[in-house]
Amino acid sequence: MLLQISEPNSTENVARERKRGLGIDLGTTNSLVATKSEGGADVITDVSGARLVPSVVNFTGVVTVGTSALESAVSDVRNTVVSAKRFMGRSRHDLNDQQLLGLTTSDPLAFDTDDGPKTPVEVSSEILRSLAARARQSLDETEDGVVITVPAYFDDRQRQATRQAAELADLNVLRLLNEPTAAAIAYGLDETIAESSVVAVYDLGGGTFDISILRMERGLLRVLATGGDTALGGDDFDEIIVRWMLDQWGLDSMTRDQHRQLAMMARAVKEQLSESPEVSIVATGELAHLDDLLLTRETFTLLAETLIQRTLKACDQTLDDAGRSEVAHVVLVGGSTRMPIIREAVAKHFNLEPLCSINPDEVVALGAALQADILVGNGDGDEALLLDVIPLSLGLETYGGLIEKIIPRNAVLPLAKAQEFTTAKDGQTGLVVHVLQGERERVEDCRSLARFELNGIPPMVAGAARILVTFKVDADGLLEVSAREEITGTEAALVVKPSFGLSDDEVASMLRASQTNAAEDMQARQLREAKVEAESLLHGLIGALEADGDLLSDEERAALETEASGLVQALASDDTEFIRALTDQLGQASLTFAERRMDRSIKSALSGVAVSELDSAD
Ligand code: AMP
């Protein structure tokens, strides 16, 4: 079921004031803030025109953020925090000894500064605060809400930590948006591509490579799979140029300082090669005695071949993980995708022109700004398209260990749906509401989210009780399940977080499992249903024989018992058809008995009861 959220009557909106939304790319090295502008989105600069804010915070009594904090990164290492993003939502046991350096030994995880311990959330909140201040100053107004981007592979704890950082900075978070999705939105793909189209977002930064596979589903770009290499980035391309220079000069060793100097040179050469077909390298300082070198794009292409192939292999692997082979668009993100050799290799590999017209350092923030503008309420009425969806179906365990789906996967949030259930056994006074997530048919193949009991159901025959189970999911994906017995009004409810602990990768793999196992699951479901039906018939028959056995002659009773024991034996097998056939047979055989019982019960109900009492007689 879809609940479309549409704008209030559009005529009333004509004079509505435009709201201000901000898009924030909270990066490991640099962060940016952008906002919607005429016909697009713009990065907001500081007074000196700088676009990027280094994600660095210095704590020495006063807090400084960005370029000024970066300046103290070398002189005041202890009080300067860099790369806080890597620690968001992490605990001590997630980190290695190297990463634990400079952190306090107590919980929660914090950076040890003269200003006291600073948690990654606090550090990030300072960066967010500074970005918001920059925007407010530049725009001369306070924003109504922000969209903050996070890596697609961020788990729930990391996302939660990001939200906390924003709350600490007093920001109104409209949504956390996956970075690759933001990039695709910046290119307008959320509005232009066809349903089911697949987009690959190739993100090559300074130190990491990320590949994300998105798919258009019901007007929403969903992350199907993520992959990449956390130790492959622009720095490695610098390093191969360093190696080449040493090789050319016939040097095989160097000091750390020399290496750092050469790496800086190499980086400049690499970046120049993005503009010109060849770059001459003039050795200076300590290395001035060495020959000048000429590096051509052709040579660089050969040198970089292995690195590029590694990224493409990761692309294929991730596409495979997503269960896809066709890609409609490739979006390039990250400073290193400015290299023409990358663009050419990607174009050739996917056999299509990659989208790279937007500055690859800014594309994520720009996409977030467009999304923020719509979420803040400046949209044109298509808002429902931008709401989140349920990644995996939600349902309940029913009799026989089967799952009954209540909310289908991809239903748009927020939503509510109710379904009526009943008891499986005579006199049943309680039931367990077992909430499950997944696409498979059997309980053991789905993910258990929560379990609660509804007690106090008045004893009734099986199938007579009416239990209304309601699933409500709010815009943040919080699920509330309630069960209410309609006769007594007895109620029980529970709140669960369905996405908790499930990464997009896990969602993708659960989906793949459901596709791969669909046929098998269907058979299993049919078998279970056949067994449940057979069991309930047997159960009913035993009760009936006990109560009204005298209605049958000995031969009739013996014949029924033979049929019944045949079915009991069949139940031990996994032969759905056989169980069904014997169930039908027993059902037919007991028809006469059922009719006689019906007659008897009507007669007994009517005998000696005044007409006025009939309603309350049971
Ligand atoms: P990012 O982490 O996305 O900021 O990317 C930084 C990386 O992009 C560094 O390795 C830079 O050397 C690289 N980069 C930036 N501009 C260029 C360029 N014009 N050509 C090649 N690499 C670049």
Side-chain angles (χ1 to χ4, degrees):
M1 179 180 76
L2 286 183
L3 286 187
Q4 294 277 335
I5 309 280
S6 56
E7 286 277 280
N9 197 337
S10 54
T11 50
E12 287 169 21
N13 289 336
V14 176
R16 188 187 54 179
E17 226 180 283
R18 267 195 92 75
K19 300 266 179 119
R20 176 64 69 182
L22 299 177
I24 294 179
D25 174 0
L26 184 60
T28 309
T29 325
N30 290 302
S31 296
L32 286 109
V33 56
T35 194
K36 175 94 166 67
S37 59
E38 288 284 311
D42 280 332
V43 168
I44 301 173
T45 62
D46 70 0
V47 278
S48 67
R51 305 169 80 81
L52 298 176
V53 177
S55 303
V56 182
V57 183
N58 179 265
F59 296 93
T60 32
V62 283
V63 178
T64 53
V65 177
T67 316
S68 53
L70 187 62
E71 281 159 11
S72 43
V74 182
S75 58
D76 185 18
V77 179
R78 181 177 152 76
N79 298 312
T80 310
V81 181
V82 299
S83 303
K85 184 174 176 177
R86 288 195 214 284
F87 300 91
M88 291 289 271
R90 294 267 153 240
S91 50
R92 216 163 285 282
H93 63 259
D94 298 324
L95 306 175
N96 60 35
D97 290 349
Q98 176 76 32
Q99 291 169 312
L100 286 170
L101 283 179
L103 297 177
T104 57
T105 48
S106 59
D107 272 320
L109 207 72
F111 301 95
D112 201 5
T113 78
D114 290 341
D115 231 1
K118 300 291 171 194
T119 63
V121 167
E122 287 171 314
V123 177
S124 297
S125 91
E126 293 297 348
I127 299 169
L128 290 171
R129 207 186 283 279
S130 156
L131 290 165
R134 164 188 285 209
R136 289 169 195 167
Q137 187 175 24
S138 164
L139 302 167
D140 203 19
E141 65 176 327
T142 304
E143 77 287 345
D144 296 287
V146 302
V147 167
I148 303 175
T149 58
V150 289
Y153 55 76
F154 253 26
D155 65 20
D156 245 57
R157 278 160 60 212
Q158 293 169 298
R159 286 169 199 260
Q160 207 54 47
T162 308
R163 267 189 189 276
Q164 279 167 8
E167 275 162 27
L168 205 58
D170 292 322
L171 297 180
N172 170 28
V173 184
L174 302 164
R175 171 134 332 144
L176 297 183
L177 182 65
N178 287 321
E179 289 164 7
T181 311
I185 290 175
Y187 282 101
L189 295 183
D190 55 325
E191 287 177 352
T192 54
I193 64 169
E195 181 68 16
S196 304
S197 297
V198 172
V199 178
V201 180
Y202 180 106
D203 180 350
L204 189 61
T208 54
F209 170 62
D210 292 305
I211 174 78
S212 308
I213 307 300
L214 317 180
R215 182 169 185 256
M216 191 60 152
E217 290 177 4
R218 294 203 189 188
L220 264 167
L221 284 165
R222 245 190 72 69
V223 179
L224 290 184
T226 62
D229 192 333
T230 49
L232 172 61
D235 300 346
D236 298 282
F237 290 79
D238 304 346
E239 189 56 27
I240 54 165
I241 297 180
V242 170
R243 302 266 147 227
W244 175 81
M245 292 193 291
L246 292 178
D247 196 42
Q248 295 293 305
W249 286 324
L251 298 174
D252 50 16
S253 69
M254 64 191 145
T255 64
R256 261 177 89 161
D257 270 358
Q258 283 170 336
H259 184 266
R260 190 173 309 135
Q261 197 190 339
L262 285 182
M264 276 168 59
M265 269 172 74
R267 180 172 172 155
V269 168
K270 173 191 75 176
E271 291 179 8
Q272 273 180 46
L273 268 182
S274 296
E275 309 305 321
S276 30
E278 54 182 42
V279 174
S280 50
I281 301 168
V282 182
T284 54
E286 275 182 57
L287 304 170
H289 61 285
L290 295 166
D291 294 339
D292 292 352
L293 300 173
L294 186 76
L295 181 61
T296 63
R297 232 181 236 174
E298 284 72 38
T299 308
F300 184 47
T301 308
L302 289 175
L303 296 173
E305 180 66 17
T306 319
L307 291 178
I308 296 176
Q309 285 309 321
R310 265 170 67 192
T311 68
L312 297 177
K313 225 173 133 195
C315 290
D316 289 347
Q317 174 67 50
T318 310
L319 204 53
D320 204 42
D321 288 347
R324 306 279 140 197
S325 51
E326 285 288 300
V327 171
H329 296 280
V330 184
V331 175
L332 299 185
V333 181
S336 297
T337 61
R338 290 205 180 83
M339 286 187 275
I341 55 169
I342 292 284
R343 295 182 175 186
E344 285 154 18
V346 169
K348 196 164 155 222
H349 188 74
F350 288 98
N351 197 23
L352 45 85
E353 273 313 308
L355 295 169
C356 57
S357 57
I358 302 176
N359 182 332
D361 292 321
E362 300 179 352
V363 62
V364 167
L366 296 174
L370 295 179
Q371 178 86 323
D373 185 62
I374 292 171
L375 291 178
V376 90
N378 295 331
D380 55 10
D382 285 341
E383 277 75 82
L385 295 181
L386 287 142
L387 294 175
D388 264 339
V389 291
I390 295 270
L392 291 168
S393 302
L394 296 170
L396 284 187
E397 172 168 354
T398 60
Y399 200 59
L402 295 173
I403 167 167
E404 174 74 23
K405 306 215 174 95
I406 311 273
I407 296 183
R409 140 186 161 66
N410 277 337
V412 178
L413 304 184
L415 57 78
K417 200 171 171 194
Q419 189 155 327
E420 231 176 38
F421 287 85
T422 187
T423 43
K425 298 222 168 82
D426 291 346
Q428 186 177 339
T429 57
L431 60 86
V432 174
V433 178
H434 185 194
V435 185
L436 295 143
Q437 181 180 40
E439 305 313 305
R440 307 279 301 269
E441 303 280 350
R442 281 179 296 191
V443 166
E444 65 260 33
D445 294 325
C446 290
R447 189 163 177 265
S448 170
L449 290 180
R451 206 188 268 271
F452 64 95
E453 279 178 31
L454 176 72
N455 291 310
I457 302 172
M460 281 177 261
V461 289
R466 294 273 162 266
I467 297 138
L468 191 71
V469 178
T470 309
F471 275 57
K472 255 195 246 167
V473 191
D474 69 13
D476 286 332
L478 222 58
L479 166 69
E480 188 188 318
V481 182
S482 58
R484 184 186 151 89
E485 197 286 306
E486 300 284 45
I487 296 170
T488 54
T490 314
E491 226 177 311
L494 196 87
V495 176
V496 261
K497 259 189 89 194
S499 69
F500 192 79
L502 264 197
S503 67
D504 284 319
D505 281 358
E506 285 166 308
V507 169
S509 91
M510 284 176 81
L511 286 179
R512 271 200 308 284
S514 75
Q515 285 154 7
T516 325
N517 299 305
E520 191 189 307
D521 278 4
M522 188 47 86
Q523 281 164 6
R525 181 174 193 107
Q526 285 169 349
L527 175 64
R528 293 237 180 159
E529 279 173 354
K531 286 188 173 180
V532 166
E533 205 183 318
E535 278 162 4
S536 89
L537 178 63
L538 283 168
H539 181 76
L541 186 63
I542 291 164
L545 285 172
E546 265 168 29
D548 298 313
D550 58 304
L551 290 172
L552 297 171
S553 69
D554 287 350
E555 296 79 58
E556 284 171 328
R557 187 181 176 120
L560 268 186
E561 280 173 354
T562 313
E563 293 274 1
S565 72
L567 181 55
V568 169
Q569 277 169 22
L571 274 176
S573 78
D574 280 343
D575 188 338
T576 309
E577 286 313 309
F578 188 47
I579 295 171
R580 276 196 188 140
L582 291 194
T583 307
D584 281 352
Q585 217 168 299
L586 180 62
Q588 287 294 330
S590 52
L591 268 184
T592 324
F593 182 35
E595 277 162 15
R596 286 184 206 162
R597 292 190 69 215
M598 189 91 77
D599 287 348
R600 172 180 278 182
S601 76
I602 292 171
K603 278 190 197 125
S604 83
L606 291 176
S607 65
V609 179
V611 175
S612 62
E613 287 173 54
L614 269 180
D615 284 349
S616 57
D618 62 14

